[in-house]
Amino acid sequence: MTRSRAQDPNVCGVTAAIAVIDGKWKTALLWLLESGPRRPGELRRRLPGLTEKVLTQALREMEGDGLVHREVYDGLPLRTEYSLTPFGQDLADALAPLSAWGHRRLDTLSGVQQPVM
């Protein structure tokens, strides 16, 4: 999916939302940032296999899409933190039911009995 689809007013809203979180790491980054501001090094440690280059690219795209805020603190050494914007928190809240569905699916695949709702 191309990034331009995230801004195309003539596509389905779900397609536009998925274009914003498309990629291997963005949903995981969104999930980690949901619990509070994080420094880039902490994000990399929490996501083994994520390179610094890919982290920087994903965070820049998420910042450009209005999902994350980048704060640089003066001092030596410089300290940078990323946090969710209110718009990013809205997306995280919207994805919560999808996450719950995904967990139920995984439980079903593993044979775990689900409670009746």
Side-chain angles (χ1 to χ4, degrees):
M1 184 175 310
T2 64
R3 298 239 350 113
S4 62
R5 300 206 65 187
Q7 299 173 1
D8 184 351
N10 298 314
V11 300
C12 166
V14 173
T15 300
I18 289 173
V20 170
I21 58 170
D22 190 30
K24 182 176 180 178
W25 300 106
K26 288 184 182 177
T27 54
L29 290 167
L30 194 66
W31 176 70
L32 287 173
L33 292 171
E34 202 173 1
S35 61
R38 306 272 184 199
R39 295 180 68 184
E42 181 182 359
L43 293 169
R44 280 196 21 241
R45 283 190 300 277
R46 300 281 308 268
L47 297 170
L50 175 60
T51 65
E52 188 170 348
K53 177 186 174 187
V54 172
L55 172 64
T56 300
Q57 180 182 359
L59 288 171
R60 283 184 183 158
E61 287 177 4
M62 293 171 77
E63 186 179 14
D65 288 329
L67 302 178
V68 300
H69 171 73
R70 179 178 178 256
E71 184 75 34
V72 179
Y73 296 94
D74 287 332
L76 292 174
L78 284 178
R79 187 172 60 120
T80 304
E81 283 186 347
Y82 289 89
S83 59
L84 289 184
T85 63
F87 194 56
Q89 186 60 54
D90 285 347
L91 177 59
D93 293 344
L95 290 173
L98 183 60
S99 176
W101 181 89
H103 286 290
R104 287 192 307 272
R105 178 182 179 276
L106 292 172
D107 288 345
T108 300
L109 291 174
S110 67
V112 173
Q113 188 71 17
Q114 290 295 312
V116 178
M117 294 187 187

